[in-house]
Amino acid sequence: MKWVTFLYEAFLAIPFVGGIFVVANGWTPLGIAFLLHAITIIVMMKERGPFVGNALGVITSVVALIPVVGWIMHGLTAICLFVESVMVSQRTRRY
C-alpha cells in the first residue's frame, strides 16, 4: 500500500499534469487519495509500521484544493512516502 500511495502522490505532483488530472475529474482524485491514505494508515497501525507519510497525505488531500500549495504538498508527501516505503521494504524479509 505504501508503494501505491507513493506512486499516486508522485503522479499528482507532476507540474500541470497532476493539476489538470485533478480538475478534469472534478477533484475526485483528491478524495481517492484521501481514502487510500486513510486505509493505509489503518493497515500500518495494525502492522506497527510508519504511517507519518500517509498522515501527511491525508492533510495534502485536503489542502490540495489550493493550486500551488497542493503541488508542493504532493511533492513533499511523495518524497516522505518513498522514504517510508524503502524503510518498510528493507525491514520486511521476503522468502
Side-chain angles (χ1 to χ4, degrees), residues 28-72:
T28 303
L30 297 179
I32 292 169
F34 183 89
L35 290 174
L36 282 173
H37 289 299
I39 291 167
T40 306
I41 288 171
I42 293 168
V43 170
M44 286 291 112
M45 288 180 82
K46 279 186 171 183
E47 294 181 4
R48 296 186 179 184
F51 60 88
V52 174
N54 292 103
L56 182 61
V58 167
I59 295 167
T60 298
S61 299
V62 174
V63 299
L65 297 169
I66 305 167
V68 176
V69 174
W71 171 61
I72 292 168

